[in-house]
């Protein structure tokens, strides 16, 4: 992938003394293997890729409180829930999100024990990337209630990544956006991993790899952090893993701060009750779904660097100063403003303009027939279609709508896609591209939803019927040459070739039955002597046994059929070969068998 430009607006950080305390806490909490000797023996880690995991997207810059959380039950590492209210609120992790981090760390410990991945590192990244899935706003399966989308990666302040997923994950048909609790960019989730397979993972065992699911995203993030035989008890392996996620010194310090904080104890809180971060790095553009959007207030400064007198969430006063017990990222000792991060090759560009958000529809309504029907291997005459409308029934334009096929069908959209995203037009209509049925017959349902889950999903029923059997109303030989053979010998190879037609047109794929019959045309029963076939599937002695009826013969694309080789026994005479189709077409062919010379 070509190198891309990205910018990071440097935020004020904790003072040098605070940073030293954070690193000291990290050193003290490392596993025993993190000694100088072990560090010398650690395995090398690969350098960060040109485009990091989150695409160089912006992130939350809140730092943990100065007061460490109370260790649960006297242990600084278990992370088990203490009594309610113990320690600062920032130490509370939403139950499902916490379970996802621990499950991912356990899985990786089993598959890659040399990495020594602590779940608290995943928690630190999850805090900085999405505020622990927006405070734990996930369902029982771990999927976010609303997609968490980063800014459009259009090259204005971030990496430039044109759309790679047809809007499948981020709903954006022009550029990629970082998605989900761990903010993977679609191109990295799908094909940016080892050997081009992508970092996407199935962490909850449901058979899907969904970056919007915290179990899947946490496992994928853990695998990335451990890539290249990293040993995360070695400080520079740890640093390089984090920098590979987002190549910014400020990002590294922020993640390490939360990592150290969580290693000193956490407690579980209900989903949706986690503390939401306040400050975001100012390189962020507006977000379409309100999940990580820039509120244009960063550490007490409004647009243009002027003081912002608006009230402060999270304990800050009107002057913009941090509330009691919080780090002040704006203290002297850090640059106040912006500067290029390591690897930048051009100055920062202006902040991108947010993409306008269309009005949210109240409902999606089916349009057209109640069900779609076609035959196997053909296109549906009418594509799936829905209408987005508000509570008054007024059409809503510009809404990204996703059509998703179930795994029970082999029907596909263009380019073999199982899901496509389109936007509603001025009439509120979202029309899927042409849908083509496969060979599998039966009923299935197409799920239609808005990308940002602003309206309940609807389903469109579809049915694939079996192809009607090809018809033939006439069979004829392609040659009028007399068919003769000597008793005990065989007829010439491909002696009998026929042509099938239906209403004068060549009939392909027509099933034909060939039977050697008695000479009584009024009672054409299978003969017990004279010419015969051999069973093409029989082996050994059975392969020479006479077969006087063959089924399963079909005409080719040109309506032609060459019969297998015909053998004769010791009986001379004139015999009949009867060819029939299911539609009643009949052709009778004479086979003459001469007695051997001198008999």
């Amino acid at each position: 992938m070509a190198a891309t430009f990205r910018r990071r607006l440097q935020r004020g950080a904790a003072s040098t003394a605070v940073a030293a305390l954070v690193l000291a806490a990290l050193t003290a909490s490392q596993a025993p293997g993190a000694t100088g000797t072990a560090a010398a023996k650690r395995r090398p880690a690969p350098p960060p890729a040109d485009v990091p995991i989150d695409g160089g997207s912006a992130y939350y810059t809140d730092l943990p409180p100065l007061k460490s959380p109370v260790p649960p039950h006297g242990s600084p590492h278990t992370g088990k829930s203490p009594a309610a209210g113990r320690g600062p609120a920032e130490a509370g992790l939403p139950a499902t999100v916490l379970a996802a981090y621990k499950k991912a760390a356990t899985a990786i410990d089993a598959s890659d024990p040399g990495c020594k991945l602590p779940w608290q590192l995943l928690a630190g990244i999850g805090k900085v990337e999405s505020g622990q899935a927006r405070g734990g706003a996930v369902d029982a399966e771990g999927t976010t209630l609303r997609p968490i989308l980063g800014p459009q990666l259009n090259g204005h302040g971030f990496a430039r990544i044109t759309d790679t997923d047809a809007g499948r994950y981020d709903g954006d048909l022009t550029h990629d956006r970082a998605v989900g609790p761990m903010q993977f960019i679609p191109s990295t989730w799908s094909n940016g991993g080892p050997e081009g397979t992508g970092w996407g993972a199935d962490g909850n065992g449901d058979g899907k790899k969904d970056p919007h699911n915290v179990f899947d995203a946490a496992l994928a993030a853990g695998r990335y952090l451990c890539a290249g035989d990293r040993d995360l008890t070695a400080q520079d392996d740890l640093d390089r893993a984090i920098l590979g996620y987002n190549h910014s010194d400020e990002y590294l310090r922020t993640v390490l701060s939360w990592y150290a904080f969580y290693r000193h104890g956490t407690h579980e809180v209900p989903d949706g009750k986690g503390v939401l971060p306040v400050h975001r790095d100012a390189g962020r553009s507006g977000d379409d779904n309100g999940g990580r959007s820039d509120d244009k207030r960063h550490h007490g400064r409004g647009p243009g660097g002027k003081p912002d007198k608006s009230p402060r969430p999270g304990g800050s006063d009107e002057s913009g100063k941090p509330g009691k017990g919080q780090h002040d990222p704006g203290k002297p000792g850090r640059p106040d403003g912006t500067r290029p991060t390591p690897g930048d090759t051009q100055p920062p560009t202006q902040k991108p303009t947010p993409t306008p958000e269309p009005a949210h529809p109240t409902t999606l309504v089916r349009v057209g027939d109640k069900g779609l029907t076609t035959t196997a291997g053909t296109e549906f005459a009418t594509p799936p279609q829905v209408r987005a409308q508000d509570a008054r029934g007024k059409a809503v334009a510009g809404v990204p709508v996703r059509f998703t096929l179930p795994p029970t069908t082999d029907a596909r959209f263009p380019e073999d896609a199982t899901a496509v995203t389109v936007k509603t037009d001025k009439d509120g209509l979202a029309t899927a591209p042409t849908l083509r049925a496969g060979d599998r017959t039966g009923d299935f349902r197409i799920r239609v939803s808005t990308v940002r889950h602003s309206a309940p999903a609807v389903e469109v029923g579809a049915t694939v019927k079996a192809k009607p059997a090809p018809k033939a109303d006439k069979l004829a030989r392609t040659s009028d040459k007399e068919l003769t053979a000597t008793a005990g010998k065989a007829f010439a190879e491909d002696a009998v070739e026929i042509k099938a037609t239906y209403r004068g047109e060549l009939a392909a794929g027509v099933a034909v039955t060939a039977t050697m019959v008695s000479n009584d045309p009024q009672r054409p029963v299978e003969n017990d002597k004279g010419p015969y076939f051999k069973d093409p599937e029989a082996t050994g002695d059975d392969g020479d046994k006479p077969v006087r009826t063959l089924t399963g013969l079909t005409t080719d694309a040109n309506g032609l059929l060459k019969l297998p080789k015909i053998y004769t026994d010791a009986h001379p005479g004139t015999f009949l070969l009867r060819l029939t189709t299911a539609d009643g077409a009949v052709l009778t062919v004479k086979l003459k068998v001469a007695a051997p010379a001198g008999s």
Side-chain angles (χ1 to χ4, degrees), residues 15-95:
S15 67
T16 303
V18 172
L21 288 173
V22 169
L23 294 177
L26 279 170
T27 303
S29 62
Q30 292 291 345
T35 63
T37 301
K41 295 180 179 179
R42 63 179 173 266
R43 293 158 291 178
D50 287 340
V51 178
I53 287 293
D54 68 0
S57 186
Y59 53 86
Y60 289 108
T61 60
D62 294 44
L63 292 172
L66 292 171
K67 181 182 177 182
S68 295
V70 177
H73 306 299
S75 170
H77 304 299
T78 61
K80 295 179 180 178
S81 300
R86 297 185 68 184
E90 289 85 349
L93 293 175

Side-chain angles (χ1 to χ4, degrees), residues 365-374 380 382-386 443-448 458-463:
V365 180
R366 278 289 324 279
V367 177
D369 298 334
K370 291 184 178 180
L372 309 176
T373 303
T374 193
F380 285 87
T382 304
Q385 188 179 59
V386 296
D443 299 331
F444 64 93
R445 305 192 72 79
I446 306 165
R447 188 176 188 272
V448 189
V458 297
E459 292 186 336
V460 178
T463 300

Side-chain angles (χ1 to χ4, degrees), residues 436-488:
R436 184 177 185 84
D439 295 329
R440 194 177 303 173
T441 59
D443 299 331
F444 64 93
R445 305 192 72 79
I446 306 165
R447 188 176 188 272
V448 189
S449 61
T450 55
V451 171
R452 300 179 182 90
H453 303 307
S454 53
V458 297
E459 292 186 336
V460 178
T463 300
V464 178
K465 296 181 178 180
K467 290 182 180 179
K471 295 182 179 181
D473 54 16
K474 184 178 180 180
L475 296 175
R477 285 187 62 197
T478 58
S479 170
D480 58 2
K481 184 178 180 180
E482 186 178 57
L483 300 171
T484 61
T486 301

Side-chain angles (χ1 to χ4, degrees), residues 98-360:
L98 176 60
Y101 296 151
K102 292 184 176 181
K103 182 178 177 67
T106 299
I108 291 173
D109 184 59
S111 61
D112 186 7
C115 177
K116 304 179 184 68
L117 171 70
W119 65 262
Q120 293 92 339
L121 178 58
L122 294 174
I125 291 176
K127 178 71 172 182
V128 173
E129 291 289 350
S130 69
Q132 310 299 14
R134 201 181 289 122
V138 297
D139 61 20
E141 303 301 320
T143 302
T144 55
L145 300 180
R146 293 176 60 197
I148 301 174
L149 304 178
Q152 191 179 64
L153 298 175
N154 54 15
H156 298 300
F158 310 105
R160 174 179 171 80
I161 306 176
T162 55
D163 178 50
T164 63
D165 65 335
R168 176 182 180 186
Y169 297 122
D170 56 13
D172 196 318
L173 300 177
T174 57
H175 292 84
D176 275 351
R177 297 169 180 257
V179 297
M182 303 303 277
Q183 289 290 279
F184 277 82
I185 51 175
S187 55
T188 301
W189 182 267
S190 298
N191 55 30
E195 300 179 2
T197 57
W199 290 106
D202 177 13
N204 60 355
D206 63 355
K208 303 176 183 177
K209 297 179 181 180
D210 183 3
H212 298 284
N213 182 278
V214 69
F215 287 95
D216 294 358
L219 180 58
R223 288 178 176 172
Y224 170 77
L225 294 169
C226 290
D229 288 335
R230 290 190 181 110
D231 176 359
L232 297 182
T233 62
Q235 187 64 51
D236 56 352
D237 269 10
L238 176 66
D239 291 352
R240 294 181 74 179
I242 297 171
L243 286 172
Y245 216 104
N246 189 312
H247 200 192
S248 159
D249 291 342
E250 179 74 11
Y251 180 88
L252 172 64
R253 285 188 288 270
T254 306
V255 170
L256 288 177
S257 297
W258 283 106
Y259 172 41
F261 179 76
Y262 290 139
R263 285 183 73 94
H264 283 80
T266 61
H267 60 271
E268 181 182 298
V269 298
D271 289 343
K273 300 298 183 181
V275 175
L276 292 173
V278 176
H279 302 113
R280 303 156 176 90
D281 95 329
R284 178 177 306 285
S285 66
D287 177 39
D288 284 342
N289 69 357
R292 298 179 65 200
S293 61
D294 184 9
D295 57 9
K296 298 189 178 183
R297 297 177 298 175
H298 186 77
H299 307 312
R301 306 192 71 82
K306 296 181 180 180
D308 186 350
K309 300 296 184 180
S310 56
R312 287 282 171 264
S316 58
D317 58 24
E318 289 186 356
S319 67
K321 296 178 180 179
K324 185 178 180 180
Q326 294 203 4
H327 287 292
D328 182 0
K331 281 186 178 181
R334 294 294 302 154
D336 184 14
T338 65
R339 64 178 178 85
T341 60
D344 280 348
T345 56
Q346 68 177 18
T349 55
Q350 66 178 5
K351 187 175 178 178
T353 303
T355 302
E357 169 74 358
H360 286 306

